[in-house]
Amino acid sequence: MTKLTTIGIDLAKNTFVLYGLGPKGQCGWKRKVRRSQLLEQLVRQEPCTVALEACGSSHYWARQIQALGHEVELLPPQHVKGYLRGQKNDYNDAQAIAEACEHGRIRPVPIKSAEQQDEQVLHKLRQGVSKDRTRISNQLRGLLAEYGVIIPKGIAALRRELPLALADADNALTERARQLLSRQYQHFMKLEEELAWYDEQVKQTAKQDETCQ
């Protein structure tokens, strides 16, 4: 069999397709393997360049494949599209990835370490909590306005004014509305606590990071 210089892998959840290229760009082989078989298939190959699209789980697989002695390149998906030939399918996608890598003009995406991915998870989760807090604060402000209770924009104003509005017996809020809005406000405050925890985690990470220092 022709020695493979580049293997393109089309990643999926359960079944992966591999497409190998030889020294002159000819096809060495094609394989379809289950998730559990991928590393077993690659450990049989002599060290070569393995190309993946930079997508979900690609950084994990890149680290695993590097540990087998292969060189790994993560390619931006939008740049791989130009190399796709014929109808889009798993084999053609894997071939496009391999040929895009061989072309050599696409700047690869740096492979993240597990620690770098930890930090990415931290920031993504914090962003989600922040968005939830903003959504609920806007919802509370809008619902109160339907009863003629106007609270200025801003998180600080909501924290300050909403408890006062719920306790004000002279405004137009009904008892049922007070009960419902109070429960949602409690949820809002829990998100505040959660966001404060994430903010503290970010501060602690920044203190330990040489680049931030």
Side-chain angles (χ1 to χ4, degrees), residues 25-152:
Q26 73 271 30
C27 174
W29 55 231
K30 304 175 185 178
R31 294 288 188 278
K32 178 176 284 191
V33 300
R34 293 191 298 273
R35 179 186 179 91
S36 60
Q37 299 172 318
L38 178 62
L39 298 181
E40 179 184 343
Q41 183 68 234
L42 290 173
V43 78
R44 300 173 184 169
Q45 305 300 323
E46 293 184 29
C48 64
T49 300
V50 177
L52 314 167
E53 282 189 327
C55 59
S57 80
S58 62
H59 292 276
Y60 164 78
W61 285 115
R63 294 192 299 269
Q64 298 296 309
I65 295 169
Q66 278 183 329
L68 300 179
H70 298 293
E71 180 183 346
V72 181
E73 290 198 3
L74 298 184
L75 305 180
Q78 65 271 25
H79 295 159
V80 173
K81 287 181 180 179
Y83 293 86
L84 183 63
R85 299 179 183 179
Q87 186 176 3
K88 181 175 174 60
N89 58 49
D90 294 341
Y91 283 107
N92 286 343
D93 287 346
Q95 180 180 2
I97 293 168
E99 292 184 350
C101 179
E102 287 248 322
H103 193 259
R105 294 186 180 180
I106 299 178
R107 179 177 297 178
V109 175
I111 298 171
K112 290 184 176 67
S113 66
E115 291 74 20
Q116 289 173 320
Q117 284 193 287
D118 289 346
E119 296 309 313
Q120 187 178 50
V121 169
L122 171 66
H123 286 284
K124 284 184 176 181
L125 290 175
R126 183 199 173 279
Q127 184 181 46
V129 173
S130 180
K131 287 182 178 179
D132 286 345
R133 183 187 67 162
T134 299
R135 176 182 59 80
I136 290 177
S137 67
N138 290 336
Q139 181 187 51
L140 285 169
R141 195 174 285 106
L143 292 172
L144 285 165
E146 294 181 12
Y147 291 89
V149 179
I150 305 301
I151 292 181

Side-chain angles (χ1 to χ4, degrees), residues 2-26:
T2 302
K3 181 182 183 301
L4 300 180
T5 57
T6 303
I7 299 174
I9 302 179
D10 182 48
L11 295 175
K13 290 183 178 180
N14 299 310
T15 304
F16 302 159
V17 169
L18 294 75
Y19 189 100
L21 296 177
K24 297 181 180 181
Q26 73 271 30

Side-chain angles (χ1 to χ4, degrees), residues 165-189:
L166 294 175
D168 185 0
D170 295 329
N171 60 32
L173 288 175
T174 64
E175 287 304 313
R176 181 63 169 161
R178 292 178 201 278
Q179 179 188 41
L180 295 172
L181 292 170
S182 177
R183 288 184 64 84
Q184 189 69 338
Y185 181 66
Q186 292 172 22
H187 181 43
F188 168 82
M189 293 305 295

